[in-house]
Amino acid sequence: MQIPFFPYPHVFTEHRDDVEAAMNRCLERGAFILQDELEEFERAVGNLAGVAHVVGVANGTDSLMLALRVANVGSGDEVIMASHTYVATAAAAHFVGAKPVLVECREDRLIDPEAVEAAVTDRTRVLMPTQLNGRIADMDALQAIADRHGLVIIEDAAQALGATYRGKSAGTFGLAGSISLYPAKLLGSFGDGGLLLTDSADVARKLRMLRDHGRDDEGEVQMWGVNSRLDNLQAAVLLPKLRHYSETIARRREIAAIYDAGLRGLEQIGVPPGPNSDPDRMDVYQNYEIEADRRDELRAHLRERGVGSIIQWGGKPLHRLNGLGLASDALPYTDRFFERCMLLPMNTALTDEELSYIIEQIGSFYG
Ligand SMILES: *Cc1c(COP(=O)(O)O)cnc(C)c1O
């Protein structure tokens, strides 16, 4: 069997006919920039997430940066985030002139509120939890910290569209939440794309100007802005995909349940929280991140048997990326986690037969 970690052509073929028809409708009208499909897509995501405003942008990194700009975060300010996140989270802070401050994650792979509390200084402005692997952090604890210290929450929900915590959707907790539409993400476009979610009409208005050269609805330049619009064509592609989104999430949760049942009994493996393990959360499983004894050998064993796997972020947390000036020896939990963590295939192309095969190969590796 050959099971790639992520089958990129599936992003196109899964809903091929619907997507081709939607693209053609858009192309034949010459509707490329800030057109009807984009507005319709933004409204549809708003309905899905239960949020008042959605703003489509060029990618899930610009979105973080634009949210920080709206919050007037800049030079001298500190932004607290987990070291177990993508470099994009830190880059967004860096490029508005702020300093990323890295903290530990917990056993469920998400930012540790106690570590956040300990990292707050008088320069802290923002808490930027990453809703990693399609699961939402402990937002009650983070909100309490934000309230106590007068901080803004901006969620990096790149991996969590549709996940909920106590009934509230990822991306809707703070000033604004960011979603990525990168092809391998839960809602994957045919290239780059991103979204910002916010309940504030004022924040949404500023974000719409920021993404379009600072222009208002009349085309009048009101402020400095950038070019970071979500292509209308990507919105056209994503609209039919969004109509199938609840099936996508249901299947990912089913896959997680199959992995959980197959792997939880192995003492050499640490599985993530199962899909029905927490009444407060509905996880959407962007990734299935396990911990494994002899991780590198296991990955080689799987590779030889046709099964692709990766280690998130290319294998290193942010405080181990040389060249960013974020090196630290103060994050031992995250260091230990990165000696053991890896991602198994998690996507809607996987069949039950393939999942059984993957689980079997892991079992046979440990004997
Ligand atoms: C994918 C991702 C991003 C960046 O998204 P892009 O759309 O690729 O810019 C940011 N943060 C996290 C946690 C991600 O997984």
Side-chain angles (χ1 to χ4, degrees):
M1 257 197 226
Q2 287 297 322
I3 308 170
F5 175 72
F6 187 81
Y8 281 93
H10 189 70
V11 175
F12 173 50
T13 55
E14 187 173 23
H15 302 296
R16 180 179 199 134
D17 293 345
D18 286 357
V19 160
E20 278 183 345
M23 281 176 80
N24 286 339
R25 278 196 298 277
C26 188
L27 293 170
E28 279 159 9
R29 286 177 12 253
F32 299 118
I33 301 288
L34 297 178
Q35 297 298 307
D36 293 351
E37 283 82 357
L38 177 57
E39 271 183 42
E40 195 186 329
F41 176 61
E42 289 173 341
R43 268 198 308 276
V45 173
N47 289 338
L48 173 98
V51 72
H53 308 278
V54 176
V55 180
V57 296
N59 56 68
T61 307
D62 279 8
S63 46
L64 291 167
M65 214 155 50
L66 297 185
L68 287 166
R69 284 231 179 276
V70 167
N72 284 316
V73 175
S75 178
D77 295 334
E78 294 179 353
V79 180
I80 298 177
M81 62 190 67
S83 185
H84 186 359
T85 187
Y86 192 31
V87 67
T89 325
H94 175 81
F95 281 106
V96 300
K99 181 180 160 201
V101 173
L102 307 178
V103 301
E104 297 272 38
C105 57
R106 294 201 294 206
E107 204 183 345
D108 74 351
R109 290 94 170 115
L110 294 162
I111 194 165
D112 179 354
E114 282 178 32
V116 170
E117 177 80 67
V120 173
T121 71
D122 51 12
R123 286 199 274 276
T124 307
R125 286 284 316 284
V126 178
L127 306 184
M128 191 172 269
T130 294
Q131 314 297 23
L132 195 70
N133 300 334
R135 179 180 175 87
I136 300 179
D138 186 341
M139 296 312 294
D140 286 352
L142 293 176
Q143 190 61 58
I145 296 167
D147 291 346
R148 220 164 21 250
H149 299 282
L151 309 176
V152 172
I153 291 179
I154 294 172
E155 283 170 83
D156 184 347
Q159 300 193 353
L161 179 65
T164 63
Y165 172 76
R166 302 202 168 161
K168 206 166 149 58
S169 288
T172 70
F173 288 88
L175 182 78
S178 162
I179 304 284
S180 170
L181 305 170
Y182 181 84
K185 294 285 161 74
L186 294 158
L187 187 64
S189 67
F190 294 175
D192 280 309
L195 294 169
L196 279 154
L197 278 50
T198 181
D199 272 317
S200 159
D202 184 51
V203 168
R205 190 180 55 83
K206 286 177 184 154
L207 289 171
R208 286 182 195 287
M209 288 195 284
L210 272 174
R211 74 168 174 184
D212 185 36
H213 304 292
R215 294 186 294 191
D216 65 15
D217 288 343
E218 276 72 53
E220 202 65 40
V221 174
Q222 300 289 0
M223 63 200 295
W224 288 107
V226 297
N227 180 353
S228 182
R229 301 168 299 220
L230 177 63
D231 284 336
N232 197 60
L233 196 58
Q234 299 291 5
V237 164
L238 291 168
L239 268 165
K241 287 179 176 235
L242 194 62
R243 285 195 272 278
H244 295 280
Y245 198 64
S246 61
E247 297 153 41
T248 300
I249 299 310
R251 178 59 183 159
R252 283 175 174 273
R253 286 172 57 77
E254 206 170 81
I255 293 168
I258 293 170
Y259 275 138
D260 192 84
L263 300 175
R264 187 170 285 277
L266 291 176
E267 62 182 33
Q268 298 91 341
I269 295 286
V271 291
N276 298 311
S277 61
D278 181 348
D280 283 341
R281 284 187 174 82
M282 210 279 289
D283 298 349
V284 293
Y285 294 94
Q286 164 68 61
N287 300 310
Y288 197 75
E289 186 169 54
I290 62 167
E291 294 177 76
D293 290 356
R294 295 160 54 212
R295 188 254 333 256
D296 296 341
E297 286 171 66
L298 172 62
R299 289 192 64 215
H301 174 91
L302 291 175
R303 196 179 315 119
E304 282 158 21
R305 283 152 189 80
V307 179
S309 68
I310 67 167
I311 306 173
Q312 207 154 198
W313 329 127
K316 289 177 182 169
L318 291 182
H319 72 283
R320 294 298 172 199
L321 296 175
N322 297 325
L324 300 185
L326 300 174
S328 164
D329 286 323
L331 302 169
Y333 183 87
T334 304
D335 281 331
R336 269 200 311 282
F337 186 78
F338 270 80
E339 287 167 12
R340 289 171 50 79
C341 65
M342 61 185 277
L343 301 184
L344 294 176
M346 168 55 84
N347 58 74
T348 52
L350 288 165
T351 64
D352 287 1
E353 199 191 353
E354 288 172 328
L355 290 165
S356 304
Y357 176 78
I358 295 169
I359 290 164
E360 241 172 68
Q361 301 318 309
I362 297 172
S364 77
F365 173 73
Y366 292 114

